[in-house]
Amino acid sequence: MNAPARARGAAVQVKAPPLLYGLSLAAALAVHQWVLPLPLSLPGLTYAGVVLVVAGLGLGLSGVVTVLAHRTTLAPHLPVSRLVVAGPYRVSRNPMYTGLSVALVGAGLCAGSWWPLIVAPLCMLATYRWVIRAEEAYLLDRFGADYQRYRAQVRRWL
């Protein structure tokens, strides 16, 4: 890897990916409330939603804690000091984004609206295109064969 690329981090288009999820949820709920309600109502849906929100946020938080424990950065546009493959990174290369995706679906169930469920795959696609692709290219350049082995063993989402 050349020194300037190592020093600047991944060339992501969105520097704060959790905003993609927060804005997607806000937009979905706004559309449901003021434009076109798409109610989702089944017994126990709210409870299932709460479970998914808690599980998703727990997965995302465990990713944050693991990264911080390894003393590297959470910001995708900043250079990383090491490749983190422990904790939730053993089952997902992107546990923070996976957790946010699960929480987004859970929030839709809690809200009783189809809109967050419709928006979730679009949000995941945007995260892939605007963040993950650049992160993966950077990590491959930065860690080479170690990242290739890791990528071959662990899925991107779950």
Side-chain angles (χ1 to χ4, degrees):
M1 168 182 258
N2 63 44
R6 181 176 291 184
R8 75 177 165 259
V12 298
Q13 293 175 309
V14 176
K15 293 184 179 182
L19 285 177
L20 285 173
Y21 290 88
L23 293 174
S24 295
L25 178 59
L29 294 178
V31 168
H32 179 81
Q33 181 70 33
W34 293 303
V35 179
L36 178 63
L38 289 179
L40 175 61
S41 177
L42 293 170
L45 218 49
T46 301
Y47 297 114
V50 169
V51 168
L52 289 177
V53 168
V54 169
L57 293 178
L59 177 60
L61 183 59
S62 71
V64 168
V65 168
T66 303
V67 165
L68 294 176
H70 283 83
R71 296 194 167 124
T72 191
T73 184
L74 291 171
H77 63 285
L78 296 177
V80 298
S81 59
R82 59 184 43 93
L83 180 62
V84 178
V85 298
Y89 291 89
R90 290 176 293 159
V91 295
S92 172
R93 294 196 314 261
N94 297 289
M96 289 183 257
Y97 307 145
T98 301
L100 288 170
S101 298
V102 170
L104 177 58
V105 169
L109 298 181
C110 288
S113 172
W114 279 101
W115 282 110
L117 281 68
I118 293 167
V119 167
L122 300 174
C123 186
M124 292 172 71
L125 178 62
T127 301
Y128 171 73
R129 292 184 58 106
W130 296 336
V131 182
I132 293 173
R133 278 197 312 195
E135 284 180 333
E136 289 183 343
Y138 169 76
L139 292 171
L140 182 59
D141 197 30
R142 171 83 169 85
F143 298 106
D146 288 339
Y147 183 70
Q148 276 184 311
R149 275 190 299 280
Y150 173 66
R151 190 171 62 183
Q153 294 171 350
V154 178
R155 292 172 165 240
R156 179 176 289 129
W157 298 93
L158 277 181

